[in-house]
Amino acid sequence: MNVIAPIIVAGMGPSGSILALALAKQNIQVILLEKEAALPIDLRASTFHPPSLDLIAELDANVIEKMLEKGLKAHRYQYRDRVSGDVATFEMKLLKGETQHPFRLQLEQYELTHCVNDELASYANVEVRFSHEVMDYTENDSGVQAKIKTSKGTIVIDGSFIIGCDGARSKVRKSAGIGYDGFTYDEKFLVVSTDFAFEKVFDDFSYVNYISDPNEWCVVLRTEKIWRVLFPTSPKSRDDEKLLLSDEFIEERLQHFCPSTHAYRVPYRTLYSVNQRVASTYFRGRMALVGDSCHINNPLGGMGMNGGLHDAFNLAKRLIDIVVNEACFEQEFIDYDRQRRCLAMRFVQEHTINNKKLMESTQSDVQKERQKFFMQSANDPVSAKKFMMERSMIDSLRESLQS
């Protein structure tokens, strides 16, 4: 094994945490930096697809056991048409034999990061530092120097490589001068949580539902804790945004979706921009990008976090080969970029954009054809399996490893 300076991992979200744990298990020195004072507990991604669960299970038995204990297993998901009443149900048991986990695990992403953080505490070769944000970095022949903002001032940390897992506004990516190509939708997504028991109102309601409506489509899914509802909105000003987040507006939208004699209890609400972006390269010199720092997309289909996890596993194997087997880091990073960036450009972006287009059309003929496609696919086991192999990201992960 090469004796090198620690690998600096910026960002302790799902991809950064998993990357650090994979390196830790190979006795590689890691410095894991998180800008927040503690691990956030907030509502972000909440769907783990089967191949992600397979990879996590292969990496660490304790982590996957805790996730499966905490999470909610969604064995099916549905596309519902509110006009016709038609429901297309995709049964994930058809994926048996293709994955060890033929279901979606509905679990808040912060549960994963907390589980991984607990595991990392037992590794002497990993140093976790909170309130440490990478602001900039420079590179030399043997490594990198990262400028870090802390609660006590600015410090410099030496490392062999720096990995940017620091989100869509990545300081690491910006420091490297890498473009983040793509676009931002005009509309924003309003996400609210509620403890209302939708499963008791709608007949045969699944834990994951994509619902078309001529006036307003929505996504309704259950996490291990609470129901979430996502609505599209088109605010034009800050006053519009304030209105969209108001009790009155949210109550009106929820009542439109599911009339209730009681007011909805909404403990959480957020309004966020929707982007489709991919970095122009996933590496530069001794720096590589993972997760939202190099790709971001709309959440329809749950491909964002899962794609970031797949990035992390791919890059971890390459970094291990670089450190343990003295592989050429330039070639490993080139191969990582080829496999993961090309996939993000061609598969994840294409599918998430199409998912949104399918959901948002208000034309009756388009809605009818859309639901017809879903119904025909769901009712034929061969077509249903093909559909779910794509949407669960099993196909894309396999393809990336073969490219």
Side-chain angles (χ1 to χ4, degrees), residues 25-40:
K25 286 179 171 290
Q26 299 300 316
N27 201 33
I28 294 171
Q29 297 294 316
V30 178
I31 297 178
L32 178 57
L33 306 176
E34 169 56 48
K35 70 177 182 179
E36 302 296 339
L39 283 175

Side-chain angles (χ1 to χ4, degrees), residues 193-247:
S193 66
T194 178
D195 56 5
F196 184 86
F198 292 119
E199 70 277 19
K200 294 182 180 180
V201 177
F202 293 98
D203 184 43
D204 194 34
F205 207 54
S206 69
Y207 290 143
V208 180
N209 306 274
Y210 301 94
I211 302 173
S212 64
D213 186 299
N215 297 316
E216 183 179 66
W217 60 268
C218 62
V219 179
V220 183
L221 60 82
R222 175 84 189 183
T223 71
E224 79 285 8
K225 297 178 177 67
I226 204 164
W227 282 98
R228 283 196 200 180
V229 186
L230 180 153
F231 297 111
T233 68
S234 299
K236 305 299 182 184
S237 66
R238 289 189 179 275
D239 286 341
D240 285 348
E241 293 184 3
K242 186 177 179 180
L243 173 64
L244 294 173
L245 292 168
S246 68
D247 291 339

Side-chain angles (χ1 to χ4, degrees), residues 114-125:
H114 282 253
C115 287
V116 173
N117 188 44
D118 291 343
E119 292 299 313
L120 289 174
S122 64
Y123 289 89
N125 55 309

